[in-house]
Amino acid sequence: MIFVWCFLVIAAPFTFAQTHHILSQREQAEVMDLWLEERIQTLLPQLMDRAGIDLWVVISREYNEDPVIRTFLPATWHAARRRTMLLMFKPAGGQEVEALAVARYDVGKSFQKAWDPESQPDQWKQLTDLIVARKPQKIGVNISDDFGHADGLTSTEHELLLQYLPKSFHSKITSAQDLAVGWLETRTPSEMATYRQIQSIAHQIIQEGLSEQVITPGVTTTEDVVWWYRERIKELKLDTWFHPSVDIQRADPNNEEQNRSFAVRAESQVIQPGDLLHMDFGISYLRLMTDTQQLAYVLKPGETAVPDFLNEALKVGNRLQDILTSQFVTGRTGNQILLETRKQMEVEGIRGSIYSHPMGYHGHASGPTIGMWDNQGDTPGAGDYPLYPHTVYTIELNALVHVPEWGKDIRILLEEGAYFDGERVTYLNGRQKEWLTIPRARQYLGN
């Protein structure tokens, strides 16, 4: 019995737990709160100076949260409490931001309670008294035409603010769009030290799902794999910010997946040998998101490797990634990056589409939009926003490649998280440059 038990331990498959350490809920909360305090102390002063706003007000009522206020709440808060008002003030020449909570409670460690309902029952009066006392030059509020994440001040809260604030201060009110977007998009060194690990976890789950551990050709459907991903995420105590998808391209002339509009979800199909699988998947961990698309090939009987024509097609997709990332230049807008990328695509005869976006606290985050799947021209507003250093993007695109062996085009769809440091783009955890195979190729097994 002892011999058998030892053998089983040694022969056990390499498990997910052996490759990635996922923090407990308590540990995650501690990390998120540490990161938040660091951001408020070191990042927020810079961003307020850059935006030219010396006082920022963020207001939300419980369960109708401004997207920005969610990123200021401590990890143990899942929503604002009653009406929560945050006031951030950076006096001219100052190095620190005064962070106050006009609420019944402290909000985390940084936002100190600045309202006593017993002495001043009117919360709005307390807020506006604090604003007036600080004599700000610019009062930033979260209203925006271009970014939904920066447009979280509701009509009611806006009207009440104007009603209570002295009219002499109304001209000081301005959109905090650039400040809000800067806060959401900018990553700190501490966050970036961990982001690669988060992307690596996502990659591992993807590879596990696109393997013989999950897929039995001729039996397993694409919808089976989708729901396996959902269950696996929960098993690992992670979250997702969107429902995954898995679709199939195959040699069958009746299969026109390469032409399907992204507005239409692919129908579930049984996975067969010779299929190309494409999946779209993202996790949420430590308040940071991933968004990844990768590809797999189901080996036919007798095949031990992916056909050369598919390897060549993947190279076209990788080349398109290189073209896109080469156009990342600080200060260049999303529309300009798209335009220059498409110029080079035309020179090299590459057909396809670019639809990259920022990533961080949200999967589809604020920052420069670089094309959209249904618009390969300028995106007014979000596409006009400039590229800043220390930001994260999904390098998301597809290349259409004609495959004579199938007598039609195939679509190489790729998406990988990447970091822009101001000078260059670095993938968070590398990018797919080889096909995943189902089953995994075993070189010691031959015909």
Side-chain angles (χ1 to χ4, degrees):
M1 289 295 293
I2 294 175
F3 173 81
V4 173
W5 179 83
C6 290
F7 175 79
L8 290 174
V9 171
I10 293 170
F14 199 62
T15 65
F16 189 95
Q18 291 173 298
T19 58
H20 291 95
H21 172 58
I22 295 177
L23 301 174
S24 69
Q25 295 295 300
R26 182 175 182 177
E27 291 169 331
Q28 289 184 45
E30 290 172 353
V31 169
M32 289 187 287
D33 287 346
L34 284 172
W35 284 356
L36 176 56
E37 298 312 310
E38 178 186 33
R39 288 174 61 84
I40 291 171
Q41 294 167 15
T42 64
L43 178 60
L44 186 57
Q46 303 171 32
L47 296 175
M48 292 183 74
D49 283 345
R50 190 177 82 185
I53 291 174
D54 54 340
L55 192 145
W56 188 16
V57 180
V58 183
I59 306 168
S60 282
R61 280 181 287 177
E62 193 168 6
Y63 297 114
N64 190 30
E65 284 78 15
D66 180 322
V68 171
I69 206 170
R70 287 177 175 271
T71 67
F72 280 116
L73 299 179
T76 54
W77 286 36
H78 295 279
R81 295 181 178 175
R82 300 189 183 182
R83 178 179 270 118
T84 299
M85 301 172 170
L86 302 182
L87 183 154
M88 291 155 275
F89 177 62
K90 184 178 182 298
Q95 300 300 312
E96 298 180 354
V97 172
E98 179 187 20
L100 302 176
V102 188
R104 292 177 177 272
Y105 323 89
D106 291 338
V107 178
K109 294 181 180 179
S110 289
F111 291 94
Q112 302 301 307
K113 175 184 173 182
W115 177 44
D116 179 9
E118 300 300 321
S119 60
Q120 171 52 275
D122 193 329
Q123 186 181 16
W124 281 100
K125 182 67 166 59
Q126 178 66 9
L127 172 67
T128 52
D129 283 350
L130 290 168
I131 293 173
V132 170
R134 280 152 184 76
K135 301 177 181 178
Q137 298 301 306
K138 291 289 184 182
I139 303 169
V141 296
N142 291 347
I143 52 176
S144 171
D145 290 333
D146 301 331
F147 296 97
H149 305 94
D151 193 37
L153 185 67
T154 67
S155 175
T156 297
E157 308 301 314
H158 194 193
E159 289 173 6
L160 285 168
L161 178 63
L162 294 176
Q163 178 182 320
Y164 274 85
L165 195 65
K167 285 188 169 51
S168 60
F169 280 77
H170 286 195
S171 62
K172 299 175 182 289
I173 294 176
T174 187
S175 168
Q177 171 183 290
D178 288 355
L179 175 54
V181 172
W183 169 259
L184 295 173
E185 73 172 344
T186 309
R187 305 272 66 84
T188 64
S190 296
E191 290 170 324
M192 290 312 306
T194 306
Y195 220 149
R196 177 177 182 178
Q197 172 80 350
I198 298 171
Q199 182 66 69
S200 179
I201 291 170
H203 279 163
Q204 180 65 30
I205 300 171
I206 290 169
Q207 292 177 43
E208 193 177 356
L210 296 180
S211 76
E212 61 271 28
Q213 296 178 50
V214 175
I215 296 171
T216 300
V219 175
T220 307
T221 69
T222 52
E223 198 68 6
D224 291 336
V225 182
V226 165
W227 283 103
W228 179 89
Y229 279 122
R230 289 296 302 272
E231 294 292 342
R232 191 69 173 120
I233 291 167
K234 286 298 182 184
E235 288 173 5
L236 295 169
K237 299 180 181 179
L238 300 168
D239 291 308
T240 184
W241 60 277
F242 70 97
H243 191 58
S245 64
V246 178
D247 52 72
I248 292 173
Q249 296 179 74
R250 55 174 53 131
D252 182 351
N254 294 319
N255 177 279
E256 295 195 1
E257 176 61 27
Q258 75 280 5
N259 298 321
R260 176 177 59 85
S261 166
F262 296 146
V264 178
R265 191 172 181 87
E267 294 182 2
S268 181
Q269 299 183 70
V270 175
I271 297 167
Q272 301 286 358
D275 283 349
L276 309 186
L277 298 184
H278 159 257
M279 64 86 62
D280 192 356
F281 168 89
I283 63 171
S284 173
Y285 182 42
L286 297 171
R287 283 186 175 166
L288 296 176
M289 311 295 168
T290 71
D291 194 0
T292 313
Q293 296 178 46
Q294 292 196 341
L295 302 163
Y297 175 72
V298 185
L299 295 172
K300 296 177 182 178
E303 286 184 326
T304 58
V306 177
D308 287 342
F309 67 86
L310 292 182
N311 291 325
E312 293 303 311
L314 181 56
K315 289 179 182 179
V316 177
N318 289 150
R319 174 56 188 155
L320 187 51
Q321 290 174 319
D322 291 339
I323 294 172
L324 173 58
T325 57
S326 72
Q327 301 303 324
F328 277 54
V329 177
T330 297
R332 185 175 281 181
T333 69
N335 289 333
Q336 291 171 333
I337 293 171
L338 175 65
L339 177 63
E340 295 305 314
T341 299
R342 294 205 63 82
K343 285 181 181 178
Q344 189 60 33
M345 287 170 63
E346 186 174 352
V347 169
E348 298 188 25
I350 296 177
R351 296 175 296 143
S353 300
I354 306 295
Y355 33 96
S356 292
H357 57 83
M359 183 173 68
Y361 283 138
H362 303 90
H364 290 162
S366 285
T369 294
I370 307 171
M372 303 182 78
W373 67 263
D374 55 351
N375 177 21
Q376 290 295 283
D378 284 357
T379 300
D384 296 318
Y385 187 85
L387 188 70
Y388 284 105
H390 310 302
T391 47
V392 172
Y393 302 86
T394 65
I395 307 304
E396 184 178 10
L397 47 79
N398 74 71
L400 272 177
V401 181
H402 187 70
V403 176
E405 291 81 355
W406 285 12
K408 63 178 181 179
D409 292 338
I410 63 171
R411 190 156 58 178
I412 301 296
L413 301 109
L414 298 170
E415 183 174 20
E416 294 287 358
Y419 173 65
F420 178 64
D421 64 7
E423 297 293 332
R424 62 174 185 161
V425 175
T426 304
Y427 288 97
L428 297 180
N429 188 52
R431 57 172 166 160
Q432 183 174 19
K433 299 189 76 173
E434 295 182 4
W435 290 84
L436 294 169
T437 62
I438 304 166
R440 294 290 187 265
R442 304 289 189 261
Q443 296 303 323
Y444 69 94
L445 297 173
N447 292 316

